[in-house]
Amino acid sequence: MDAAVSTELDGLSLGANATRERGGQTAEQTETQGQVVKRASSGESKKRVERETKEGIDCRKLENFSSWYQQVVIKADLIELYDISGCYIFRPWSFAIWEKIVEFFDAEIKKLGVQNAYFPLFVSERRLRTEQEHLEGFAAEVAWVTKSGSSELDEPIAIRPTSETIIYPAMSKWIRSHRDLPLKLNQWSNVVRWEFKHPTPFIRSREFLWQEGHTAYADRSEADHEVLQILELYRRVYEELLAVPVIKGTKSDRERFAGGLYTTTVEAFVPANGRAVQGATSHSLGQNFARMFGIYYEGKDSGEKLMPWQNSWGCTTRTIGVAVMVHGDDRGLVLPPRVAPLQVVIIPIITKSASADVISACEAICSCLQRANLRVKFDDRSEKTPGWKFNEWELRGVPLRIEVGPRDVQAGTATIARRDTMEKWSIRVPNHSISEEEDAFAQEIHQTLVRIQTNLFERASAERNARIRCVSDWGTFMQAIVQRCMALTPWCNLNECEERVRQQSVQDSLAYRERLATETDPSATDAVLSGAVKTLCMPFASELERLGLTNAAEWEAPAPEKQCFACNGPARRWALWGRSY
């Protein structure tokens, strides 16, 4: 394979980790979705069908989203449940996805001069209470250690919900002069946030994995620039790796990071249940934490004591859950090729008379794709039928399947199946003594993976865009919310108005559910989401223009005649609203 093709494939696969299994398959079968049916039926085969069918998804995504999601993350081997509510075991399949995200993001922040470090899991109560607004923002979520064995601790110790109060006392020792700036640190770690009612794997859990960056600058403009640099990297994680569209914007004062100056965010949306998800955040902390933790440096010219401008930013394993929710279907996972642990699975269709030839052909294809730096698996487990394997790998979301049977070997072809569209077609396999044919075959597989990645993003973008409503009054606002959409509105940007929207949206949703129960079908109330509506973000001008929702002039200051949709006061910003996890 030539260098150009190899480099392009590297960019798609983000590194190879191809594996193979040995063995042979001997049963001839026909397959149907969700089960395996033998040509000769018997009592034993009927029991086997029932057993294997239970391993698939038995509910529909659009009919019972919560049950569908719980089944997918468990049956697709993403998590194992644990005996502490809200804590989950990451199985290798999900951790491999996280590793792809880590690999990409870690390389990108190092280009910006960020260095990795690690700080303790525990924080003293005294330090945690240093910044009161910050503590109040996390108080309900803090888990405390109060005993050592049977003895009470002299002072309770908190398990970090975030690490500002752990890292900044160390920064106060390391930053003394303007020469010590900028200081750019990141750590990959776990955190614990305890208080919530409805745990959801990856989305809301008591312990999760993340990265948290903490930086300090002498110049505010440099700090502000970094906030947006990191936010752009988060957009790339979602859109380029996970094929999930997001909207970049600024959080309202009510929703900003506790103790910070302002918060920027990437917001994702799950059309299947009408809920938004805060994808990742990049915060400007201003000089507040520097003041509280005594972080000062000597100015370059004046020699006076100055405070640095600080940022913090974080992205979590929530990314995995968002991708599952957005792309998954009634068969299970649908994984974007760039983060899929396996990009291609090869399955032999074996008969007794052609076993060796089929296996040899599959091994040759596997070796070819391995050399192309693709993550590929040759699945020739003898104890599993081809139909069982088809369903298993569809459930686990592998983007591309290659099937090889005796007729394929004779014709010099293989059958390709795409997971995202379920399309199947025949492709010529290379003569492995001719390198040019191997190159062409690998390039065709690579291009198919690229098309899958592109299709997933375009499909998700179209579904998300169809759920954004531009509204200017309360009636159409609630209509959009009831229809499980997001609402873009002119808004006054006042905290008291946002609080009224939260309260009134709850009351109106309850009233709407009661009307449905009495005037139409009582079961229809299950389709109406409950809970308060809140601001998701105030989208950047570039985002509104990219979506074709408004132009830059309107963004900078809504026209004088525009009023806040909720209180009729002067509109100052465009705000995106919705129900959120």
Side-chain angles (χ1 to χ4, degrees), residues 176-383:
R176 299 293 187 181
S177 165
H178 64 88
R179 297 182 183 87
D180 299 323
L181 297 173
L183 179 61
K184 304 179 184 182
L185 301 176
N186 177 70
Q187 75 167 346
W188 296 94
S189 65
N190 62 338
V191 292
V192 173
R193 297 181 183 176
W194 200 259
E195 180 63 31
F196 59 86
K197 295 180 180 179
H198 303 293
T200 303
F202 301 114
I203 301 297
R204 290 184 65 85
S205 57
R206 289 199 162 107
E207 179 189 13
F208 54 85
L209 303 178
W210 75 341
Q211 60 72 216
E212 54 176 321
H214 296 273
T215 58
Y217 289 85
D219 185 75
R220 176 175 178 176
S221 63
E222 291 183 5
D224 288 341
H225 179 66
E226 186 202 65
V227 168
L228 299 182
Q229 278 185 308
I230 297 299
L231 195 70
E232 174 61 12
L233 290 182
Y234 290 150
R235 181 202 66 80
R236 292 181 61 193
V237 166
Y238 275 96
E239 297 195 346
E240 296 180 14
L241 270 65
L242 299 171
V244 172
V246 292
I247 296 176
K248 295 194 295 184
T250 305
K251 286 290 189 180
S252 69
D253 283 345
R254 183 185 179 90
E255 295 293 328
R256 67 176 167 81
F257 183 71
L261 186 61
Y262 63 87
T263 291
T264 64
T265 179
V266 289
E267 296 287 324
F269 183 73
V270 182
N273 71 349
R275 290 194 182 275
V277 185
Q278 179 179 284
T281 48
S282 182
H283 314 286
S284 168
L285 303 182
Q287 296 176 310
N288 185 39
F289 284 86
R291 181 180 300 106
M292 295 297 174
F293 288 94
I295 306 175
Y296 294 93
Y297 68 95
E298 187 177 283
K300 182 177 181 179
D301 299 318
S302 64
E304 64 179 316
K305 293 292 184 181
L306 303 173
M307 290 183 295
W309 296 87
Q310 292 180 266
N311 297 333
S312 69
W313 25 274
C315 182
T316 79
T317 41
R318 171 175 282 193
T319 48
I320 300 171
V322 174
V324 173
M325 289 179 167
V326 169
H327 299 308
D329 62 20
D330 291 343
R331 293 180 175 88
L333 288 179
V334 180
L335 292 176
R338 289 198 66 177
V339 296
L342 290 175
Q343 295 167 317
V344 182
V345 62
I346 302 168
I347 298 178
I349 314 297
I350 295 176
T351 62
K352 292 181 180 179
S353 61
S355 174
D357 290 342
V358 171
I359 289 176
S360 178
C362 290
E363 288 177 337
I365 292 172
C366 186
S367 296
C368 172
L369 297 181
Q370 284 177 334
R371 287 191 293 272
N373 203 31
L374 293 178
R375 298 186 291 277
V376 56
K377 182 185 186 75
F378 174 25
D379 183 357
D380 60 350
R381 290 172 290 176
S382 60
E383 74 278 11

Side-chain angles (χ1 to χ4, degrees), residues 72 141 145 183 279 450 575:
V72 168
E141 301 175 335
V145 179
L183 179 61
V450 171

Side-chain angles (χ1 to χ4, degrees), residues 26 281 402:
T26 58
T281 48
I402 299 178

